[in-house]
Amino acid sequence: DVKVTQSSRYLVKRTGEKVFLECVQDMDHENMFWYRQDPGLGLRLIYFSYDVKMKEKGDIPEGYSVSREKKERFSLILESASTNQTSMYLCASIQGAGGANVLTFGAGSRLTVL
Amino acid sequence: GENVEQHPSTLSVQEGDSAVIKCTYSDSASNYFPWYKQELGKGPQLIIDIRSNVGEKKDQRIAVTLNKTAKHFSLHITETQPEDSAVYFCAASKDNAGNMLTFGGGTRLMVKP
């Protein structure tokens, strides 16, 4: 069964801390995404990656960076967490060109910044 | 860029009734419209999708309709059951491959037994 795993389900951090959110997929998917989910705003794309070491900005990249050193792993980094980054973060992956176009999500990481 | 609006934000129905969720999109180049269901504590899961070359698609109790001229699409759930209770998201994309989805704000559906 296709699986996207987000290692941390709940995190509580302090303002100014560096935060790492990790995501691993076991489907050999080429494309991976980080979304932020807030009530009433739906899912907003932060960053995505089409290949190892490759990254592209989404709609709301400010305050975030990403890393993709291996095909199966895509990390979201908050260099200096702020309270307005308190949110649910969802990782997703999809096969890519020529593959089945079903975006598969992880269960989410709920981050609280105090 | 694309903008997707979704209504209503919450919907409460009696078990067995139908539920309809509506979305509008702004970019006429969008050609792929999936619907995702998010149950409590889980990530969103694709439940049905439609491409711009068809006007309607059905899968058991769920159906999606698309009106390209008016730039809106809707999710219809018939004979609702308590397990249909969840948050539903519509989305739109131009690349026909599920990438670069723009999501609506979500609808919390509650089915009362």
Side-chain angles (χ1 to χ4, degrees), chain A residues 30-105:
Chain A
E30 294 177 2
N31 303 343
M32 297 187 73
F33 304 80
W34 275 105
Y35 286 89
R36 171 175 171 159
Q37 180 179 2
D38 298 289
L41 299 178
L43 282 66
R44 293 178 292 167
L45 182 63
I46 304 171
Y47 267 97
F48 62 99
S49 169
Y50 284 148
D51 202 352
V52 174
K53 296 193 185 296
M54 180 266 173
K55 61 184 179 183
E56 294 285 346
K57 292 180 180 179
D59 298 319
I60 53 165
E62 297 78 18
Y64 303 94
S65 62
V66 290
S67 171
R68 194 167 180 199
E69 296 296 317
K70 294 184 178 181
K71 188 176 184 180
E72 68 271 18
R73 188 180 296 270
F74 192 35
S75 303
L76 180 69
I77 303 155
L78 288 67
E79 293 288 344
S80 178
S82 62
T83 54
N84 61 12
Q85 293 178 309
T86 291
S87 187
M88 170 70 84
Y89 292 89
L90 290 165
C91 175
S93 71
I94 195 169
Q95 178 61 40
N101 56 347
V102 177
L103 192 64
T104 302
F105 284 89

Side-chain angles (χ1 to χ4, degrees), chain A residues 9 31 37 42 94 101 103 106, chain B residues 36 38 41 43 51 89 97 99 104:
Chain A
R9 293 297 305 273
N31 303 343
Q37 180 179 2
I94 195 169
N101 56 347
L103 192 64
Chain B
Y36 283 81
Q38 185 179 28
R51 297 181 192 286
F89 294 98
N99 293 294

Side-chain angles (χ1 to χ4, degrees), chain B:
Chain B
E2 174 68 278
N3 182 48
V4 177
E5 303 223 347
Q6 182 172 347
H7 298 280
S9 57
T10 59
L11 179 60
S12 182
V13 299
Q14 210 58 46
E15 183 178 357
D17 287 350
S18 294
V20 180
I21 302 170
K22 298 181 179 181
C23 290
T24 60
Y25 62 98
S26 61
D27 192 338
S28 56
S30 288
N31 54 21
Y32 175 65
F33 307 92
W35 286 88
Y36 283 81
K37 176 184 181 182
Q38 185 179 28
E39 297 175 335
L40 199 62
K42 297 183 179 180
Q45 269 197 307
L46 179 74
I47 55 171
I48 195 167
D49 58 11
I50 191 167
R51 297 181 192 286
S52 57
N53 58 345
V54 298
E56 185 173 355
K57 185 176 178 180
K58 192 172 181 181
D59 182 4
Q60 299 181 353
R61 295 187 299 107
I62 59 173
V64 58
T65 58
L66 171 65
N67 183 326
K68 285 173 58 180
T69 304
K71 289 190 281 189
H72 67 70
F73 56 112
S74 301
L75 177 71
H76 305 253
I77 306 173
T78 58
E79 300 171 26
T80 54
Q81 300 167 5
E83 51 265 37
D84 294 329
S85 296
V87 179
Y88 291 81
F89 294 98
C90 63
S93 171
K94 288 190 286 191
D95 73 358
N96 204 37
N99 293 294
M100 303 310 297
L101 293 172
T102 299
F103 285 85
T107 297
R108 181 173 297 278
L109 174 64
M110 293 168 284
V111 180
K112 295 177 286 187

